[in-house]
């Protein structure tokens, strides 16, 4: 297929795009390279790869690229609550309005697979798993813009929404600000972390399994289309404290403490069921322990914070 990937030089795209090329697809990436990254340099020699330096919000740029695509994966977004709060207008125009514009340029036959966040579940009920039928109650601007984008995407039917758990793992365009990546970095370099509201729970997923989920959505599109799917590790619904306990098994000198005062500005707290996408054939290959081991090796190379989104 001809696949357009907006934001394709980012954390997820830098892993997904090479895998799509390996499968024989023709891939065009549109990215504004706001982080000055060269994360796709290693695929420039592939004749099936093309790249456009531009803004996913610019209709004149997007229109000819969208017209030539069989499928679109709109990864372009301001990702994470802190980054969105830092620039609310850019977050809204990129995460929601650019999706609306893109959908208006596509025919009903063109396929869309969009990443949404399971942040949309906000604060879940204690002991109750969030499924795709659970009402969405985002508690951040980031969550709200992604939920609104998902509503527009699924309304066109020839689309799939992947509600991603908190992603972890090494990538050519690395991010240190994601929870697992951040805590392992602190364990390796600082040997300590102070936790706020350590009982808050999240679900987690390795970045290569996220790429696998996108590839599966494309290959099994007809049987999956028109639906949202949670994408996470079913054995990794963990609190921040439990996550630190896992990390400590790999970094024995790691010390973590509960802060006696203060609170986490990110109020998300939920556990998630991934049964729906597992029934569709998704089988994650990377465990949380695999990812922690990988990150420890990666952090022997990375010693600064240019890889954070904020």
């Amino acid at each position: 297929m001809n696949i357009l990937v907006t934001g394709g030089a980012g954390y997820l795209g830098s892993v997904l795009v090479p895998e799509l090329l390996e499968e024989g697809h023709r891939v065009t990436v549109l990215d504004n390279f706001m982080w000055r990254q060269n994360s796709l340099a290693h695929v420039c020699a592939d004749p099936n790869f093309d790249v456009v330096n531009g803004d996913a919000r610019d209709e004149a740029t997007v229109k000819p690229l969208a017209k030539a695509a069989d499928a679109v994966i709109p990864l372009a977004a301001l990702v994470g609550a802190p980054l969105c709060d830092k620039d609310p207008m850019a977050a809204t125009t990129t995460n929601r309005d650019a999706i609306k514009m893109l959908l208006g340029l596509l025919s009903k036959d063109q396929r869309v697979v969009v990443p949404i966040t399971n942040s949309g579940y906000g604060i879940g009920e204690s002991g109750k798993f969030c499924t795709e039928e659970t009402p969405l109650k985002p508690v951040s601007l980031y969550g709200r813009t992604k939920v609104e984008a998902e509503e527009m995407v699924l309304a066109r039917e020839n689309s799939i929404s992947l509600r991603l758990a908190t992603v972890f793992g090494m990538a050519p365009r690395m991010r240190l600000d994601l929870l697992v990546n951040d805590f392992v970095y602190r364990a390796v370099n600082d040997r300590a972390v102070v936790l706020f509201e350590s009982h808050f729970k999240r679900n987690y997923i390795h970045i290569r399994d996220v790429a696998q989920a996108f590839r599966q959505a494309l290959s099994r599109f007809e049987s999956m289309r028109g639906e949202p799917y949670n994408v996470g590790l079913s054995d990794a619904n963990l609190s921040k404290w439990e996550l630190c306990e896992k990390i400590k098994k790999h970094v024995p000198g790691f010390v973590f403490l509960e802060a006696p005062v203060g609170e986490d500005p990110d109020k998300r707290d939920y556990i998630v069921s991934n049964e729906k996408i597992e029934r569709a054939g998704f089988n994650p290959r990377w465990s949380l322990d695999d990812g922690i081991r990988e990150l420890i090796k990666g952090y022997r190379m990375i010693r600064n914070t240019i890889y954070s989104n904020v």
Side-chain angles (χ1 to χ4, degrees), residues 12 48 66 83 89 107 116-117 126 141 144 150 170 174 184 198 219 232-233 260 262 273:
L12 173 54
N48 284 330
L83 185 60
M89 181 175 291
S107 73
I116 303 297
T117 171
S126 180
L141 173 62
R144 288 194 298 275
E150 180 187 68
M170 294 296 299
M174 189 56 185
V184 176
S198 64
S219 65
L233 289 169
S273 168

Side-chain angles (χ1 to χ4, degrees), residues 222-256:
E222 287 304 320
S223 63
M224 293 179 65
R225 70 189 184 101
E227 299 285 339
Y229 296 85
N230 292 332
V231 181
L233 289 169
S234 290
D235 62 354
N237 281 295
L238 302 176
S239 69
K240 287 183 279 186
W241 187 272
E242 291 167 332
L243 172 59
C244 286
E245 288 179 330
K246 266 197 172 287
I247 295 170
K248 187 175 177 66
K249 292 178 181 177
H250 299 272
V251 186
F254 181 39
V255 175
F256 49 99

Side-chain angles (χ1 to χ4, degrees), residues 195-207:
L195 303 174
F196 294 92
E197 296 174 311
S198 64
H199 61 285
F200 281 5
K201 290 200 170 191
R202 310 266 173 84
N203 195 214
Y204 304 96
I205 186 71
H206 193 281
I207 189 165

Side-chain angles (χ1 to χ4, degrees), residues 106-217:
L106 299 177
S107 73
K108 61 181 179 60
D109 297 322
Q110 290 173 288
R111 298 175 172 185
V112 175
V113 183
V114 64
I116 303 297
T117 171
N118 67 16
S119 299
Y121 294 123
I123 301 172
E125 296 181 46
S126 180
K128 188 173 181 179
F129 286 90
C130 295
T131 71
E132 290 79 359
E133 285 71 49
T134 300
L136 296 172
K137 301 175 183 176
V139 294
S140 66
L141 173 62
Y142 171 58
R144 288 194 298 275
T145 58
K146 297 298 278 184
V147 166
E148 289 166 358
E150 180 187 68
E151 185 177 355
M152 291 186 288
V153 168
L154 292 180
R156 73 183 293 272
E157 295 184 357
N158 207 33
S159 304
I160 295 171
S161 168
L162 300 180
R163 295 178 180 174
L164 306 182
T166 298
V167 186
F168 63 89
M170 294 296 299
R173 190 331 232 187
M174 189 56 185
R175 281 185 60 192
L176 299 188
D177 53 300
L178 294 162
L179 197 63
V180 179
N181 295 358
D182 176 32
F183 280 11
V184 176
Y185 186 85
R186 292 170 187 267
V188 169
N189 291 289
D190 303 334
R191 298 287 169 174
V193 67
V194 177
L195 303 174
F196 294 92
E197 296 174 311
S198 64
H199 61 285
F200 281 5
K201 290 200 170 191
R202 310 266 173 84
N203 195 214
Y204 304 96
I205 186 71
H206 193 281
I207 189 165
R208 294 193 180 277
D209 282 325
V210 174
Q212 181 201 162
F214 274 91
R215 289 176 10 243
Q216 176 179 318

